[in-house]
Amino acid sequence: MNRALLARQHLLARADLSAPEALNRLIALQAQAAPAPYFALWTRLKTFAPQDLSARLEDLYVARGTLMRGTLHVAMAADFAAIRPLVQRGLDRVLTEGSVHGRALAGLEPDEIASAARDLLRQGALTATELRDALAERWPGRDPQALAMAARVRLPMLQLPPRGLWGRSGQPTLAAMADRLATPKPGLDLPELVRRYLAAFGPATVADAQTWLGLTRLAPVFDALRPSLAVFRGEDDAELFDLPEAERPPGDAEAPVRFLGEFDNVLLGHDDRSRIMSAEHKRRLYTVNGVVRAAVLVDGVTAGRWRIEDGKAASILHVELFDKVAKPVAKALAEEGERLLAFGAKHDSGEVRIAVAEA
């Protein structure tokens, strides 16, 4: 299962694909941290330059906005437009009566808030702060953050550049998805999205797919697809589904060291993440405020974390391992770390520092 996941995610061997081609295969990449999708593509592709993604975000061939699980993703614009309505019922859970935002909005219709946001955005793109404040003016006395959340959940929106561009920053500027992206062509329905999930993350359980997509009640979808899927049993006797033709390398296939960016999909793509990360490592990679740290893979599983420190004149890649590694592994980490610095560091001058982190 580990090697199958790594192969589908192009982490056994870098793929000779363009950034758009890789996004087509991977469905979408997490983008809560602006550089995250850039590091995700760098570690997966033979050749990748930041402009390969930035240019596509600028011309809206690639879209950035709220998608699965209510988190920011980048995806091909056509995929984004098609997937967004498919995950709507998962997003709606944020506004249920028992939720914090639901209680704050008691007596208001979320769709009325979304309609007001839509009218505001027809006049032009707004920053998240501007949209929140405008909604607060419409409903004085109501929690502005809850109003903004209702708009974000019920109205599909994009975050426009320069937000999300390599080396650029700025407040999130929002536009209605319908104003910027073409209406999706028929074809991508929920069963097809599940098949694409299996192509990128399988073999997987129903719970795995539900976790990544942020949806519940997917068992009937899998049952309808069952005749066209391969079905296995995991070591815990859980039922695993996969595409019959999908790649499933042997468990002893060589897995090179890899540096994953923050929020990398392989650490978020399943309910049961033991195929790539132990419970102890999860504790050390996930922060209390929901950040998934940039991780190091050794022999296909998490083995540490990393960060780049850009000083005034030089950059340092700090690699913090969870346990000691053999000298050949340390050498491979140093060599891959040099390539990572060349890609992602601010300065041409830099060094790789590898140490065992305290528990």
Side-chain angles (χ1 to χ4, degrees), residues 173-338:
T173 302
L174 305 173
M177 183 183 79
D179 289 340
R180 303 298 176 116
L181 302 185
T183 302
K185 297 177 181 178
L188 183 58
D189 55 10
L190 193 53
E192 182 57 26
L193 183 56
V194 166
R195 288 182 63 86
R196 287 184 63 182
Y197 166 79
L198 293 175
F201 293 94
T205 65
V206 173
D208 290 331
Q210 290 180 160
T211 294
W212 193 70
L213 291 170
L215 296 173
T216 57
R217 304 189 303 276
L218 287 185
V221 177
F222 276 83
D223 285 339
L225 291 171
R226 186 182 293 269
S228 66
L229 299 178
V231 184
F232 307 98
R233 287 285 176 181
E235 292 180 351
D236 59 356
D237 204 38
E239 199 170 38
L240 295 158
F241 297 88
D242 205 3
L243 303 182
E245 69 278 9
E247 186 178 4
R248 289 181 288 274
D252 60 357
E254 182 180 355
V257 299
R258 288 287 184 257
F259 288 90
L260 307 178
E262 290 181 304
F263 302 101
D264 196 278
N265 274 1
V266 295
L267 304 184
L268 292 164
H270 301 85
D271 181 58
D272 178 3
R273 297 164 189 176
S274 60
R275 72 187 70 192
I276 196 166
M277 175 175 51
S278 68
E280 171 60 20
H281 287 186
K282 181 179 178 181
R283 181 185 68 81
R284 300 173 76 170
L285 288 169
Y286 285 53
T287 70
V288 293
N289 59 351
V291 174
V292 182
R293 292 188 174 103
V296 177
L297 296 185
V298 172
D299 193 25
V301 296
T302 54
R305 57 197 181 212
W306 64 269
R307 61 185 175 87
I308 294 176
E309 177 187 356
D310 289 314
K312 291 183 178 180
S315 299
I316 300 171
L317 171 61
H318 295 277
V319 181
E320 300 176 337
L321 298 175
F322 299 147
D323 295 291
K324 292 182 179 179
V325 297
K327 287 183 178 179
V329 174
K331 181 175 183 291
L333 285 169
E335 292 172 348
E336 185 72 355
E338 292 286 353

